[in-house]
Amino acid sequence: PLVKIDEKVQIVFEQMIRLLLHCGLPKEDLDMLWSKGPVCMEVLKQADCRMTLFTGSQPVAELLTKELRGKVKLEDAGFDWKVLGPDVHDIDYVAWQCDQDAYAYSGQKCSAQSILFVHENWKKAGIVEKISKKANARNLEEMTLGPIITWTNERIKSHIDALLAIPGAEVVCGGKPLEGHTIPSCYGAFEATAVFVPLAEMMKPENYEMVTTELFGPFQVITEYDDSSLDKVLEACERMESHLTAAIVSQDINFQQKVLGNTVNGTTYAGVRARTTGAPQNHWFGPAGDPRSAGIHTPEAIKLVWSTHREIIYDCGRPDASWTAPKAT
């Protein structure tokens, strides 16, 4: 196998390989390629790889699919949603989990909470204020915020400004670059940010794609709904292109089943402790709704990605000595 990691963080994976070698991995069992993306693409094409597992952005995933003639499995970008149901429970715990899902590791994880659908009952209970308070407490000194590898401050600010141009949109928390640091300008350094966008405005064709753009950093969209607009929430979830992780925060089994039955995300948590991220290793993690979807963490996932069905039929019994050819058919 050949492994290639984004060059900005490849030094980390190199150390992982050195650990594996130290623990006994035969050196000939793995090749690591240091290169830019186009170089790796050429290697894959010339080698005519039988299977490529890709974790990363959706545009690159689509390019790989085309260039490698579909011989790919994808664990690509996720604009991951969380729905807070009509029943309010354990609000402090839920606020903590929302903060972790959206902003831990500065939001740089494919399972990060990208959008939060808040039922009006949770809004009245003060969930947005509690999330905002936790987000505002994040800082560089305690390493609860850090450099943003793939989005610069200018690009983040441009995206926020575009969202704020939507009628009714407003900054809930954050919204400004961090100050007093030495992080190079080629990386982002931004406050944990949330922007509220009205659901009705979000669903308009001219706004939907922008609102559901994954910003790979400490950022999320928040919107509000009520019982009468739940179907709009389900429509919003269905229209998203990447169906990786999702969370349904509710103890109401009927609500859970309605949302689960109308969505397709590959890894979905349901219940008051539901989250979009922090998946333990003992269950499947991966997107769904696409035949190219890959999984990680389980034997089933490994078989899906790195193996294929092969049939071998043994038929070794010799014909009887008196056998004669039957009439042709």
Side-chain angles (χ1 to χ4, degrees), residues 171-194:
V171 173
V172 174
C173 59
K176 299 177 182 177
L178 296 176
E179 299 178 348
H181 60 80
T182 58
I183 296 173
S185 60
C186 60
Y187 304 114
F190 223 83
E191 295 175 340
T193 299

Side-chain angles (χ1 to χ4, degrees), residues 115-283:
I115 187 167
L116 180 65
F117 295 95
V118 179
H119 191 278
E120 61 177 353
N121 294 345
W122 284 91
K123 181 74 178 299
K124 293 173 183 175
I127 186 70
V128 175
E129 290 77 12
K130 288 180 177 289
I131 294 171
S132 179
K133 182 178 179 181
K134 289 185 174 296
N136 289 334
R138 289 182 172 270
N139 57 75
L140 289 171
E141 290 72 23
E142 296 176 316
M143 293 189 289
T144 50
L145 288 175
I148 302 164
I149 303 300
T150 56
W151 281 65
T152 63
N153 285 348
E154 292 76 18
R155 189 180 175 197
I156 295 171
K157 183 67 164 54
S158 176
H159 183 64
I160 293 173
D161 289 343
L163 292 177
L164 293 177
I166 298 173
E170 61 180 357
V171 173
V172 174
C173 59
K176 299 177 182 177
L178 296 176
E179 299 178 348
H181 60 80
T182 58
I183 296 173
S185 60
C186 60
Y187 304 114
F190 223 83
E191 295 175 340
T193 299
V195 172
F196 177 85
V197 178
L199 182 61
E201 292 293 332
M202 168 187 169
M203 298 303 293
K204 292 181 177 179
E206 63 268 29
N207 295 330
Y208 183 82
E209 183 177 352
M210 177 171 56
V211 174
T212 57
T213 295
E214 183 187 20
L215 194 167
F216 207 64
F219 177 83
Q220 66 174 322
V221 172
I222 296 178
T223 192
E224 183 182 355
Y225 76 102
D226 57 22
D227 292 341
S228 66
S229 55
L230 175 59
D231 287 342
K232 283 291 183 184
V233 172
L234 298 177
E235 179 188 346
C237 296
E238 173 61 24
R239 284 170 59 184
M240 294 173 193
E241 294 185 358
S242 301
H243 300 283
L244 183 54
T245 67
I248 305 162
V249 182
S250 174
Q251 299 290 76
D252 183 338
I253 188 64
N254 292 319
F255 182 85
Q256 290 180 9
Q257 289 181 345
K258 181 175 178 64
V259 179
L260 287 168
N262 287 276
T263 55
V264 297
N265 291 58
T267 303
T268 305
Y269 298 87
V272 72
R273 295 166 65 100
R275 56 202 185 275
T276 65
T277 193
Q281 291 184 337
N282 62 346
H283 71 60

